[in-house]
Amino acid sequence: MNAEPSRPPSEVAAHIQLRRCLLTVANLLAEGGHVLETITLPRCGLAKREMKALEARGTEWSVCRKTLEASAAGGINPEGRFVLTALGR
């Protein structure tokens, strides 16, 4: 019987935090009148003014954005908009 190797606790915690952020961001987008595809399509994304609007609402956007960028699940595309990477999608 082959047992799947367990992940280190820090890796599991990071994975859980990333999943929570993705869920939070999806909810924030919906509340702001956006659809999830806004950040999942590489050529779309959130413009700086849209990100500032999310921050101004006192939301968890800033924390989630930092988490997504630190995990390489999100970042700024060549057009200067925030999008999810393949990892985040």
Side-chain angles (χ1 to χ4, degrees):
M1 178 175 193
N2 292 338
E4 185 177 322
S6 62
R7 294 181 180 182
S10 61
E11 187 179 322
V12 172
H15 181 76
I16 290 169
Q17 183 179 15
L18 178 59
R19 289 180 61 100
R20 284 183 182 157
C21 279
L22 289 169
L23 179 60
T24 298
V25 168
N27 286 327
L28 293 172
L29 289 171
E31 290 171 4
H34 296 283
V35 293
L36 189 56
E37 286 77 10
T38 301
I39 62 170
T40 58
L41 299 175
R43 291 282 183 189
C44 291
L46 290 173
K48 288 180 183 179
R49 78 177 190 296
E50 294 164 327
M51 289 188 285
K52 285 184 181 189
L54 286 172
E55 291 171 10
R57 289 180 25 212
T59 64
E60 299 176 69
W61 167 253
S62 296
V63 172
C64 286
R65 178 182 174 187
K66 288 175 187 171
T67 299
L68 292 170
E69 289 177 335
S71 66
I76 304 298
N77 70 7
E79 290 81 20
R81 297 167 151 297
F82 183 85
V83 295
L84 295 178
T85 64
L87 176 64
R89 289 190 290 269

